Amino acid sequence: MYIKTKTFQITPKELGALLTFFYYRRMKFIFILLAILLIINIVFSVLQNRFDWWLIYFVGLGAYFVSLPLFFQPQKRNSTLEFQNRYCEIDENFFAVFYEDGSIVKINYSHFIQVVKKADYYFLYMTKVQFYYLPVAAFESEKDIHRFDLFLQSRQLMKLW
């Protein structure tokens, strides 16, 4: 199997938006739980005609969790290489990224811990926070996408269902 992608690039703003979306999606349960506790606390405070300090704690905690994505600054957390034009070459042994400035990163698949596929992109995780971004649009054909998916599944990096 050999797959070569088209040249692609992601901007810091686009990467920040993706990370923010992932964060809110992952924290959805926490937000719902905080909202329920806040509403219960407000109802009990009104019914008992008293001010409850827990209300301020819940509001502060909720504001902290909601504002956390404002601190996501991908251009400071990632190498400048990640925002350059690049293309990938994928074979059975290595995942290689060729950057516009001539830099090459060649990674054995054993270094990936997980691959997350969404409708428009792949995140190939090397650690819980370090990943490579690969857009689905960079592939030449649907056949290449399907071959890559099957290959990742055979390496137990991604589940197709």
Side-chain angles (χ1 to χ4, degrees), residues 10-160:
I10 189 167
T11 65
K13 188 174 184 176
E14 291 170 338
L15 185 58
L18 284 174
L19 293 176
T20 301
F21 175 75
F22 267 155
Y23 170 77
Y24 284 133
R25 195 160 191 207
R26 196 174 44 226
M27 296 296 289
K28 180 174 48 175
F29 176 74
I30 299 294
F31 290 144
I32 292 170
L33 182 65
L34 280 175
I36 290 171
L37 290 174
L38 183 65
I39 291 170
I40 290 171
N41 203 346
I42 289 172
V43 168
F44 281 128
S45 293
V46 169
L47 289 177
Q48 295 176 353
N49 266 346
R50 67 180 174 89
F51 180 75
D52 197 0
W53 285 99
W54 283 105
L55 184 62
I56 292 176
Y57 296 133
F58 284 133
V59 169
L61 193 60
Y64 170 76
F65 283 132
V66 168
S67 66
L68 205 55
L70 297 175
F71 301 111
F72 291 164
Q73 296 180 352
Q75 63 271 22
K76 291 184 180 177
R77 290 179 28 166
N78 293 354
S79 167
T80 56
L81 280 177
E82 294 306 314
F83 305 115
Q84 288 185 11
N85 284 334
R86 61 189 178 271
Y87 68 92
C88 299
E89 290 183 2
I90 303 162
D91 63 20
E92 291 85 12
N93 300 316
F94 294 101
F95 178 82
V97 183
F98 295 84
Y99 293 94
E100 181 179 48
D101 69 352
S103 301
I104 301 171
V105 176
K106 198 170 188 180
I107 305 164
N108 192 316
Y109 288 101
S110 63
H111 295 291
F112 292 118
I113 60 170
Q114 177 186 12
V115 175
V116 174
K117 181 183 180 187
K118 298 296 178 187
D120 298 333
Y121 51 86
Y122 292 90
F123 279 153
L124 294 96
Y125 284 93
M126 296 178 63
T127 65
K128 287 185 177 186
V129 294
Q130 183 183 7
F131 59 87
Y132 282 95
Y133 168 80
L134 178 62
V136 171
F139 286 93
E140 295 287 338
S141 66
E142 288 287 329
K143 182 180 176 184
D144 286 346
I145 296 169
H146 184 66
R147 286 178 29 215
F148 186 56
D149 287 347
L150 290 176
F151 176 73
L152 292 173
Q153 183 186 21
S154 72
R155 293 280 183 144
Q156 297 179 346
L157 292 171
M158 183 178 77
K159 295 179 181 174
L160 290 180

